[in-house]
C-alpha cells in the first residue's frame, strides 16, 4: 500500500491550490488522515487532520483558510488551500494513521510529499 500525493505547484499570495492524496492498494479501512508540511529550514508540522467519520482539526496558522476533507469511497484525502501566504511555502506530506486490508494493517503510512510554493 502507498499514499500518492498530487496537486502542488506555484501560487501567488492570496491564491488557491488543492492537494490530493490517494491510498493505493486493496484497502478495507483507513483511520485518521493528516496533512503535514515542512518549510525551508523548519521541522515538519501537522497542518490538518480528519477522522474516518469526518471530524477535522487544524493548526491555528491555517484555520479559516485551509479545508481538509476525505472521500472514503476513493480512499483519498484532500487539502483545499485558499488565501495562500508566502509562509505556506513548504513540502506537503499526507499521512494515514492506520490502513487495513483483509488480513493486514500498516501504521503511520506517509506519502511522498508535494511542493507548494507561494510567491509573487
Amino acid at each position: 500500500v502507498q499514499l500518492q500525493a498530487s496537486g502542488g505547484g506555484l501560487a501567488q499570495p492570496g491564491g488557491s491550490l488543492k492537494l490530493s492524496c490517494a491510498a493505493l492498494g486493496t484497502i478495507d479501512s483507513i483511520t485518521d488522515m493528516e496533512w503535514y508540511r515542512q518549510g525551508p529550514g523548519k521541522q515538519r508540522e501537522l497542518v490538518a487532520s480528519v477522522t474516518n467519520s469526518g471530524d477535522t482539526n487544524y493548526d491555528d496558522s491555517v484555520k479559516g483558510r485551509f479545508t481538509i476533507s476525505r472521500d472514503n469511497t476513493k480512499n483519498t484525502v484532500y487539502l483545499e488551500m485558499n488565501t495562500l501566504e508566502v509562509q505556506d511555502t513548504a513540502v506537503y506530506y499526507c499521512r494515514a494513521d492506520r490502513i487495513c486490508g483483509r488480513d493486514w494493517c500498516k501504521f503511520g503510512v506517509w506519502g511522498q510529499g508535494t511542493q507548494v510554493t507561494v510567491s509573487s
Side-chain angles (χ1 to χ4, degrees):
V1 65
Q2 60 177 329
L3 295 178
Q4 188 170 74
S6 60
L10 176 65
Q12 292 188 337
S16 300
L17 285 172
K18 186 173 183 177
L19 307 182
S20 300
C21 176
L24 306 179
T26 305
I27 295 167
D28 284 351
S29 65
I30 306 175
T31 56
D32 293 4
M33 300 187 80
E34 300 140 354
W35 285 98
Y36 287 75
R37 67 184 179 187
Q38 187 165 15
K42 297 182 180 179
Q43 291 188 332
R44 193 172 297 188
E45 61 179 2
L46 177 63
V47 175
S49 63
V50 58
T51 67
N52 182 273
S53 58
D55 294 329
T56 59
N57 272 295
Y58 298 91
D59 183 81
D60 286 345
S61 65
V62 306
K63 278 181 182 176
R65 301 189 298 120
F66 290 10
T67 301
I68 188 171
S69 61
R70 63 191 286 172
D71 184 338
N72 291 334
T73 66
K74 297 180 180 179
N75 295 321
T76 299
V77 63
Y78 305 95
L79 186 68
E80 185 168 359
M81 305 183 292
N82 298 313
T83 319
L84 283 162
E85 302 171 353
V86 172
Q87 301 93 303
D88 295 320
T89 295
V91 178
Y92 284 71
Y93 299 88
C94 55
R95 180 184 180 276
D97 272 2
R98 188 186 72 190
I99 302 176
C100 293
R102 180 180 177 185
D103 56 3
W104 57 266
C105 287
K106 290 191 175 183
F107 297 83
V109 181
W110 289 89
Q112 84 280 15
T114 184
Q115 176 70 46
V116 170
T117 301
V118 184
S119 174
S120 55

